Amino acid sequence: MEAYHHIAIHKETLEPAYPAKNSKIPDADGPYSILHMPALVPHSEDPDGLPLIEGLEEWQKNDLLATVLFPHFLLAFQGTSVVWYQVMPSSVDRLLLRIHFLVPKALRDLSNIDEIAEGAGALLSIIHHEDIEANDMVWEGLKAPVTMQGRLSPLERSIWQLNQWWLSELSKTGS
Ligand SMILES: [Fe+2]
């Protein structure tokens, strides 16, 4: 839920199209966070071979939005599709992630829909394996004996919003 890591982790995949420095995280008045990643240039064609969803404004056609309803209902939107990240925590250090690629129902009749879905799956796999490799290293670092929390970048505002939600939930239980 931040684009700060695009600079290093996705420097050849997401960063050229959605530069971290342009990302925005609006104020939230509820248990959610929105990460708005403006496209550097408008898409000249649909990157995944799917038609744009009708009725979208120009920024909605081009930009990438990652959203979370705390703690872990995650959806990412772009002009042609939605990606649902189904996170199923199983313990303090383990989770199962299922990534679902969602398109309008009418597109199931496209003759090449299987090919498009395979292409989208392959791209998502490349991008998220970049994340997983980095996250594994972050997790190792977090468990190190001298690890301390550093200051967050303004580009990591979603993490601060999640932390505010945690604090609020903990105060409700008196923990
Ligand atoms: Fe990532």
Side-chain angles (χ1 to χ4, degrees), residues 5-6 10 14 131:
H5 73 287
H6 290 191
H10 304 303
L14 292 177
D131 286 310

Side-chain angles (χ1 to χ4, degrees), residues 6-171:
H6 290 191
I7 300 165
I9 309 303
H10 304 303
K11 61 178 182 269
E12 291 171 4
T13 49
L14 292 177
E15 177 65 13
Y18 308 101
K21 67 180 181 186
N22 296 343
S23 66
K24 296 174 261 190
I25 299 164
D27 289 337
D29 58 4
Y32 65 88
S33 185
I34 297 169
L35 168 61
H36 180 188
M37 294 165 275
L40 188 61
V41 293
H43 299 310
S44 56
E45 57 184 29
D46 311 329
D48 48 16
L50 291 167
L52 287 164
I53 294 170
E54 288 180 22
L56 299 180
E57 295 178 20
E58 207 54 35
W59 68 273
Q60 293 170 322
K61 292 177 187 170
N62 293 306
D63 297 353
L64 179 59
L65 289 161
T67 65
V68 57
L69 180 63
F70 297 141
H72 57 65
F73 182 62
L74 292 147
L75 295 171
F77 301 86
Q78 55 179 352
T80 60
S81 55
V82 173
V83 180
W84 170 31
Y85 297 91
Q86 186 181 18
V87 178
M88 291 167 283
S90 55
S91 70
V92 68
D93 61 354
R94 193 152 296 272
L95 61 84
L96 177 65
L97 172 64
R98 288 203 176 114
I99 301 176
H100 306 269
F101 183 61
L102 313 175
V103 298
K105 198 172 183 179
L107 298 186
R108 68 184 169 186
D109 298 329
L110 283 179
S111 61
N112 60 342
I113 191 66
D114 290 341
E115 192 182 319
I116 289 170
E118 245 174 64
L123 181 59
L124 286 167
S125 179
I126 289 168
I127 290 171
H128 293 305
H129 275 91
E130 292 175 341
D131 286 310
I132 289 166
E133 283 180 25
N135 289 343
D136 284 347
M137 290 188 282
V138 170
W139 182 241
E140 287 305 311
L142 286 171
K143 292 186 293 182
V146 293
T147 294
M148 292 173 63
Q149 174 69 54
R151 291 180 71 86
L152 294 170
S153 158
L155 295 175
E156 298 173 301
R157 191 162 183 240
S158 278
I159 296 171
W160 177 82
Q161 290 173 334
L162 173 64
N163 290 343
Q164 299 310 299
W165 178 81
W166 277 123
L167 288 171
S168 160
E169 291 300 301
L170 288 171
S171 68

